[in-house]
Amino acid sequence: MGTTGVRPPDPHPSGVKPPDIPAELIPRHVALVMDGDGRWAKKRGLPRTEGHKEGESSLLDVIMGAIELGIPYMSAYAFSTENWRRTPDEVRFLMGFNRDVIHRRRDLLNEMGVRIRWAGRRPRLWRSVIRELEQAEQMSAGNSVLTLQFCVNYGGKIDEKVFARYLDEPTIPEVDLFVRSSGEQRLSNFLLWQSAYAELVFLDTLWPDFDRRHLWHACEIYASRDRRYGGAQPNPVEPNSIRDDRPGLLS
């Protein structure tokens, strides 16, 4: 599909427009930890699964906001290798929910020019989930508006040699901006290698209350930072301000 004839993203219900960030300061790759579903549901006296359901619309809105701002790559942490430790009922729900979300939203994402990729491990992952992910990949292979990497049964904690051989998507660039909702401040084994020099932004908003405005705010924070990648420029110093006060030396 490329970029011609694509459906534009729906506007935010409030009518808010994306911030005016210079193109060179927009992150190329945003990694998104969608955290806080369970706490959102608990605050309302609901099962954890209701929080996951509510988070679907948050993800869709954030994707639309990324397109509006011109972000070319986004990775969404949908299910980690550690999530298998949750209760069997929640794991079963998450497996079916991820499968159904991909099936339910893939046509719309395809119409908007989103290229879907899957990063993760096959062992233990439901075959029906793998099938939906692979079909979505095939359907959207020609799109170029936004590459959306669904990280399902994904874990980034492996050694360097193994990682070099089995990198899920070597053509997707390193992460520029790493965003986590819910106020938790940790990486949780998500895109560790690719986020080595990412700018980290942790927002207090629980994921079901998150939308494109929060993404844009994170991008404004990103644009305001000085990314040095370990380098530094000398401090500007006036020539007459340098003195040698050691005893016995002329100043």
Side-chain angles (χ1 to χ4, degrees), residues 62-88:
V62 167
I63 292 168
M64 290 183 175
I67 293 172
E68 286 186 302
L69 193 58
I71 296 168
Y73 294 91
M74 176 173 284
S75 294
Y77 210 4
F79 189 90
S80 80
T81 50
E82 289 73 35
N83 287 157
W84 295 105
R85 300 172 186 166
R86 297 188 177 183
T87 66

Side-chain angles (χ1 to χ4, degrees), residues 142-190:
N143 295 341
S144 58
V145 173
L146 169 71
T147 295
L148 175 64
Q149 182 173 229
F150 275 114
C151 297
V152 185
N153 200 25
Y154 177 90
K157 193 175 181 181
I158 51 179
D159 70 57
E160 188 171 339
K161 292 181 180 178
V162 171
F163 188 88
R165 292 203 311 269
Y166 296 106
L167 187 67
D168 289 291
E169 289 293 336
T171 62
I172 292 180
E174 291 188 350
V175 174
D176 297 304
L177 173 61
F178 187 108
V179 182
R180 182 171 189 143
S181 62
S182 88
E184 298 291 344
Q185 298 187 21
R186 56 181 179 271
L187 301 186
S188 293
N189 199 17
F190 182 44

Side-chain angles (χ1 to χ4, degrees), residues 47-77:
R48 291 175 57 85
T49 53
E50 293 303 310
H52 297 314
K53 291 177 184 177
E54 194 70 23
E56 178 182 348
S57 59
S58 296
L59 176 58
L60 186 62
D61 194 78
V62 167
I63 292 168
M64 290 183 175
I67 293 172
E68 286 186 302
L69 193 58
I71 296 168
Y73 294 91
M74 176 173 284
S75 294
Y77 210 4

Side-chain angles (χ1 to χ4, degrees), residues 228-234:
R228 298 187 300 274
Y229 297 95
Q233 296 295 322

Side-chain angles (χ1 to χ4, degrees), residues 22-241:
E24 66 274 13
L25 295 180
I26 293 174
R28 192 173 179 216
H29 182 187
V30 175
L32 192 59
V33 181
M34 303 176 288
D35 194 19
D37 290 353
R39 276 167 285 166
W40 181 91
K42 184 177 181 180
K43 286 172 64 175
R44 291 159 176 78
L46 299 171
R48 291 175 57 85
T49 53
E50 293 303 310
H52 297 314
K53 291 177 184 177
E54 194 70 23
E56 178 182 348
S57 59
S58 296
L59 176 58
L60 186 62
D61 194 78
V62 167
I63 292 168
M64 290 183 175
I67 293 172
E68 286 186 302
L69 193 58
I71 296 168
Y73 294 91
M74 176 173 284
S75 294
Y77 210 4
F79 189 90
S80 80
T81 50
E82 289 73 35
N83 287 157
W84 295 105
R85 300 172 186 166
R86 297 188 177 183
T87 66
D89 284 346
E90 186 171 0
V91 168
R92 278 193 296 272
F93 173 84
L94 288 170
M95 285 291 103
F97 183 65
N98 278 302
R99 177 195 61 208
D100 295 344
V101 166
I102 296 159
H103 183 82
R104 185 161 52 240
R105 299 297 189 177
R106 67 184 182 188
D107 288 338
L108 175 58
L109 295 175
N110 187 48
E111 290 171 7
M112 292 192 297
V114 175
R115 173 177 173 254
I116 296 172
R117 305 298 297 166
W118 166 44
R121 307 179 190 180
R122 288 180 176 270
R124 300 184 72 182
L125 190 57
W126 286 11
R127 282 184 300 230
S128 59
V129 177
I130 295 173
R131 183 169 60 249
E132 290 293 343
L133 285 163
E134 290 179 339
Q135 288 176 355
E137 284 186 325
Q138 293 166 9
M139 172 188 290
S140 64
N143 295 341
S144 58
V145 173
L146 169 71
T147 295
L148 175 64
Q149 182 173 229
F150 275 114
C151 297
V152 185
N153 200 25
Y154 177 90
K157 193 175 181 181
I158 51 179
D159 70 57
E160 188 171 339
K161 292 181 180 178
V162 171
F163 188 88
R165 292 203 311 269
Y166 296 106
L167 187 67
D168 289 291
E169 289 293 336
T171 62
I172 292 180
E174 291 188 350
V175 174
D176 297 304
L177 173 61
F178 187 108
V179 182
R180 182 171 189 143
S181 62
S182 88
E184 298 291 344
Q185 298 187 21
R186 56 181 179 271
L187 301 186
S188 293
N189 199 17
F190 182 44
L191 298 179
L192 300 180
W193 180 278
Q194 299 96 321
S195 298
Y197 274 103
E199 296 297 322
L200 308 180
V201 174
F202 302 106
L203 302 177
D204 289 337
T205 306
L206 300 176
W207 179 248
D209 294 326
F210 204 95
D211 66 22
R212 71 188 78 184
R213 293 170 295 182
H214 300 89
L215 171 69
W216 294 342
H217 177 56
C219 289
E220 288 179 308
I221 295 172
Y222 168 87
S224 72
R225 292 183 179 174
D226 180 18
R227 305 187 76 205
R228 298 187 300 274
Y229 297 95
Q233 296 295 322
N235 291 339
V237 178
E238 293 293 332
N240 294 334
S241 68

